[in-house]
Amino acid sequence: MTEIKICGLSTADSVDAAVAAGADYLGFNFFPKSPRYVDADKAAALAARVPSHVAKVGIFVDPDDAALDMACAAARLDVIQLHDVADPARISAIAARYRLPVWAVVSVQGSADVASGRRYKGAADRLLFDAKTPKGADLPGGMGLRFDWRLLAGVSHFGLPWGLAGGLDPHNVAEAIAATGAALVDVSSGVETAPGVKSIEKIRAFIKAAKAA
């Protein structure tokens, strides 16, 4: 069955809804420019609501060790998700330092972007293919953009588990799973009413649709 990650959670109600509906992963955003940003205190309070069978994922954009230290301690993270970290050696160093699985986000616009994911073999534990945001955008993801899923043909040969993000919502997630065979789907803006404002109904609908697929 496809695993499900609800990303960018910042309220107790949205965390509780995602857990109750059956999410496998909950994402907490530690990038200060994001409308979904949570500081150490909020992250700790939200993480305390998450049962042990649901994994807590910290989302970071090219973080230094101080930011990772803070988040890992506050939220007792189970997974580190990295945007804008192109160097496999840096990913390996983070995995070794924190002894946690590390997901490398691959921003996709064309086939060359997908192919670039190969460089993370031996460093990352999972690839997450997301739509590339416009040049100059403040955010590396979470903008509701979608890429051509046909570009993922052959990704299974990369030798790494992978997931799909970018432009997913309750209405297209089943189609996305059928088209790509993704073992994990990741949603943020697709279950919101405004940037950073999660909809309990959309969270439930997304998880229901993904499980049915």
Side-chain angles (χ1 to χ4, degrees):
M1 183 177 291
T2 304
E3 293 185 302
I4 301 163
K5 174 170 168 273
I6 307 296
C7 198
L9 297 166
S10 59
T11 66
D13 286 350
S14 61
V15 167
D16 293 348
V19 169
D24 301 287
Y25 300 91
L26 304 187
F28 300 108
N29 196 313
F30 293 96
F31 182 49
K33 291 184 178 181
S34 172
R36 305 164 187 94
Y37 171 71
V38 291
D39 60 19
D41 290 341
K42 179 174 279 191
L46 295 175
R49 308 181 73 86
V50 183
S52 60
H53 69 276
V54 179
K56 302 180 293 294
V57 182
I59 290 82
F60 302 91
V61 179
D62 192 18
D64 57 22
D65 287 348
L68 290 164
D69 288 346
M70 175 277 292
C72 288
R76 302 184 306 280
L77 296 176
D78 301 299
V79 178
I80 293 172
Q81 177 178 315
L82 298 174
H83 293 253
D84 291 354
V85 180
D87 184 2
R90 172 59 175 158
I91 291 175
S92 294
I94 289 171
R97 177 182 174 92
Y98 299 98
R99 297 183 180 181
L100 291 173
V102 176
W103 298 358
V105 177
V106 179
S107 298
V108 177
Q109 185 174 48
S111 58
D113 299 317
V114 174
S116 73
R118 293 181 185 275
R119 67 181 155 188
Y120 298 116
K121 187 175 182 179
D125 295 276
R126 186 192 293 265
L127 301 178
L128 187 62
F129 294 100
D130 197 357
K132 183 174 287 187
T133 54
K135 188 175 181 180
D138 285 336
L139 303 178
M143 298 180 68
L145 302 176
R146 170 178 165 177
F147 65 91
D148 185 351
W149 296 330
R150 293 174 295 182
L151 295 172
L152 295 179
V155 167
S156 59
H157 301 301
F158 280 25
L160 276 172
W162 61 275
L164 175 64
L168 299 180
D169 60 39
H171 304 292
N172 67 15
V173 65
E175 177 192 355
I177 293 169
T180 67
L184 177 142
V185 288
D186 183 344
V187 67
S188 184
S189 61
V191 291
E192 293 179 342
T193 56
V197 182
K198 290 290 187 284
S199 162
I200 303 303
E201 292 75 18
K202 288 184 178 182
I203 289 173
R204 291 171 179 157
F206 183 89
I207 293 174
K208 181 178 180 180
K211 285 183 177 292

